[in-house]
């Protein structure tokens, strides 16, 4: 079995992991970046829309182009990249079990940054296993990466930014979106994304959910129904939509398996998509030397993931003796300011509050208290 | 319930309170940006895009963009750079009977100059016929086309885009199941 040693191992090559790897390597650390895909960039590679955020987070630039820039940073910084490498376990003494190009290898690292991202929530209902029912992320991968249109007539369940953006992109690819269906009484994602769909003639069904999907061997019809305040179906309000594709965009949950294995303290934060590891302002978890960044710490945006990645990379390198003093403090303060900005405003309130609880939980744990 | 969070369409109230909308006096002077950004989200490329500093995001990045109509020249840099596609240009002085609207457009196929197309409002409903004046795709727009259409002046406040044109099957390069 191949054995590798590195100073910093970063798990996950999305916006958080790429940023962490580049910063740690730039500071002087020897960095190995591990990603299970053949192509790095995480979800950025299929984002063909221009991003929100500020100039500091490449706002106005399309997602896949941001991935290219981050990849260039990683290469320029001298990071060793292990793609097609699945990190399946994190064992005591910071040893990672990795299947790299089909071969098992063991990676010993002095510091670990977990940036594994998040996965789509699944929903079960009658007909949910029919061909044509899929995650919105899968439909986006088909259209934007594999260049295969998943279907002609799409129903999107979920009106968060993923549901809205994927709906729009499937229309750009030539499909018709016959409905966006949302259980809540309001649109979850940004109004501007919804407005693009409304201008293009897409109807929204709020306070509605999918009752059943049906078809002979493949999806042909989606039956939706109105829901009341307690999410119970209201009989008599059923409506049948003809569709060959039903995309599920019912939220994401953090991919925390490695953090659980490492023994990190967790807390449950619904606004962040479920159980998330407690961490301090430097992104270190309650297990010394194990850092986290991006959606694994709570589902947010690529922009926050990049900033958290930078923070984690700088901090991991610092703890190994790379970089110190006023310059590093100033850099970290700047990152924190940008993170605060990204969580500002009314829409950021719940994430501000959740992040505060997450850092407080890490502090409690270190003072000998238990995880909440 | 009304408002963008419930309908995907900004309400009359939200538009009245929106600091990105030019005054009627400014509109009478010619082409100007109309920024229908009514929800506080962390986003600021429009401010950086404006070469004339006519757009500002005061304070936090989530603040709504503010248009200074006197500084706006109607150049349209912001139209393609707004990731939310929330900015259009209106020109009340375009003609005697007609005004012009510039809007970002990211669907295929594209209309051609001189085509007659359906002009749609914020809710996608057809408001009137429109004549395509120009279809521009400067490199700086990074793929986003900006289309200018001429419409009867009475629809100028509400026209926001055009109805998506049908794809011809034989031109379709996509594989489907």
């Amino acid at each position: 079995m191949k054995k590798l040693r590195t100073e910093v191992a970063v798990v996950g090559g999305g916006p958080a992991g790429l940023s962490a790897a580049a910063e740690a390597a730039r500071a002087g650390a020897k960095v190995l970046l591990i990603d299970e895909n053949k192509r790095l960039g995480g979800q950025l590679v299929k984002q063909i829309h221009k991003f929100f955020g500020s100039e500091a987070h490449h706002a106005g630039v399309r997602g896949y182009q941001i991935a290219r820039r981050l990849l260039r940073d990683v290469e320029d910084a001298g990071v060793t990249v292990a793609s097609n490498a699945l990190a399946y376990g994190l064992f005591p003494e910071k040893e990672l079990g990795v299947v790299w190009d089909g071969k098992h290898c063991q990676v010993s690292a002095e510091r670990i940054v977990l940036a594994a991202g998040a996965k789509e929530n699944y929903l079960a209902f009658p007909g949910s296993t029919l061909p044509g029912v899929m995650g919105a992320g899968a439909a986006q991968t088909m259209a934007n990466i594999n260049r295969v249109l998943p279907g002609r007539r799409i129903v999107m369940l979920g009106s968060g930014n993923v549901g809205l953006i994927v709906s729009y992109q499937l229309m750009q690819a030539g499909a018709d979106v016959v409905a966006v269906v949302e259980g809540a009484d309001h649109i979850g994602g940004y109004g501007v994304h919804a407005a693009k769909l409304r201008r293009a003639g897409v109807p929204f069904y709020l306070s509605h959910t999918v009752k059943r999907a049906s078809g002979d061997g493949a999806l042909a019809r989606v039956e939706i129904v109105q829901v009341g305040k307690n999410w119970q179906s209201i009989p008599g309000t059923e409506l049948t939509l003809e569709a060959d594709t039903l995309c599920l965009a019912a939220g994401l949950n953090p991919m925390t398996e490695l953090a659980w294995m490492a023994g990190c303290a967790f807390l449950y934060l619904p606004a962040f998509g479920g159980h998330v590891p407690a961490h301090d302002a430097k992104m270190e978890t309650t297990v010394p030397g194990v850092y986290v960044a991006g959606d694994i710490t709570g589902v947010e945006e690529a922009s926050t993931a990049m900033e958290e990645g930078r923070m984690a990379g700088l901090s991991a390198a610092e703890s190994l003796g790379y970089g110190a003093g006023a310059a590093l403090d100033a850099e970290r303060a700047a990152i924190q300011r940008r993170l605060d900005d990204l969580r500002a405003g009314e829409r950021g309130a719940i994430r501000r509050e959740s992040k505060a609880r997450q850092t407080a939980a890490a502090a409690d744990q270190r003072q000998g208290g238990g995880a909440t | 319930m009304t408002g963008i969070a419930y309908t995907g369409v900004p309400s009359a109230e939200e538009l009245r309170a929106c600091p990105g909308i030019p005054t009627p006096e400014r509109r009478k002077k010619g082409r100007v940006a109309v920024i229908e950004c009514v929800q506080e989200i962390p986003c600021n490329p429009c401010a950086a895009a404006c070469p004339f500093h006519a757009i500002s995001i005061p304070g936090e990045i989530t603040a709504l963009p503010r248009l200074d109509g006197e500084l706006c020249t109607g150049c349209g840099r912001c139209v393609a750079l707004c990731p939310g596609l929330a900015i259009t240009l209106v020109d009340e002085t375009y003609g005697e009977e007609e005004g012009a609207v510039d809007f970002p457009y990211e669907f295929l196929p594209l209309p051609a100059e001189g085509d007659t197309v359906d002009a749609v409002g914020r809710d996608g409903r057809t408001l009137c016929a429109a004549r395509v004046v120009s279809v521009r795709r400067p490199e700086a727009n990074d793929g986003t086309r900006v289309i200018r259409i001429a419409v009867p002046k009475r629809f100028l406040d509400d026209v926001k885009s055009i109805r998506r044109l049908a794809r011809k099957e034989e031109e379709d390069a996509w594989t489907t199941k």
Side-chain angles (χ1 to χ4, degrees), chain A residues 50-55 59-60 62 65 132 143 147-150 152 168 171-176 185-187 190-192 194-196 198-200 206 244-245 341-342 344-345 347, chain B residues 1 4-9 39-45 48 60-62 80 83-86 106-107 120-124 141-144 160-161 164 167 169 172 174-177:
Chain A
K50 292 175 182 169
F51 269 43
F52 290 75
S54 73
E55 293 297 302
R62 298 183 193 278
Q65 289 160 333
R147 308 217 168 197
V148 175
L149 197 58
R152 288 279 169 185
Y168 183 71
M171 291 180 80
Q172 288 184 292
D176 288 322
D185 71 349
H186 62 278
I187 295 165
Y190 290 161
V192 282
K196 289 183 208 175
R198 287 301 312 273
R199 285 198 295 275
L206 303 181
D244 56 13
T245 307
D341 271 357
L342 288 168
R347 289 184 70 94
Chain B
M1 301 236 231
I4 197 155
Y6 296 99
T7 61
V9 175
Q39 198 175 49
E40 294 191 338
I41 56 174
C43 192
N44 68 8
E60 289 183 324
I61 187 176
T62 45
L85 308 190
E106 297 187 323
F107 296 117
V120 300
R122 297 174 184 89
D123 61 359
N141 286 6
D142 189 21
T144 302
K160 287 292 148 191
S161 189
R164 199 163 60 120
R167 257 170 188 261
E169 284 301 318
D172 202 326
W174 295 96
T175 320
T176 56
K177 62 183 183 184

Side-chain angles (χ1 to χ4, degrees), chain B residues 48-70:
Chain B
C50 181
F52 305 100
H53 309 290
I55 307 175
S56 56
I57 311 269
E60 289 183 324
I61 187 176
T62 45
L64 299 181
R66 181 171 295 280
L67 177 78
D68 184 333
E70 294 313 309

Side-chain angles (χ1 to χ4, degrees), chain B residues 3 6 16 18 23 39 43-44 53 63 75 83 93 97 101 104 112 120 132 138 152-153 156 158:
Chain B
Y6 296 99
R16 259 197 304 278
C18 175
T23 61
Q39 198 175 49
C43 192
N44 68 8
H53 309 290
C75 75
T93 64
E97 308 287 324
V101 181
V120 300
V132 176
K153 275 188 182 166
L156 210 48
D158 293 317

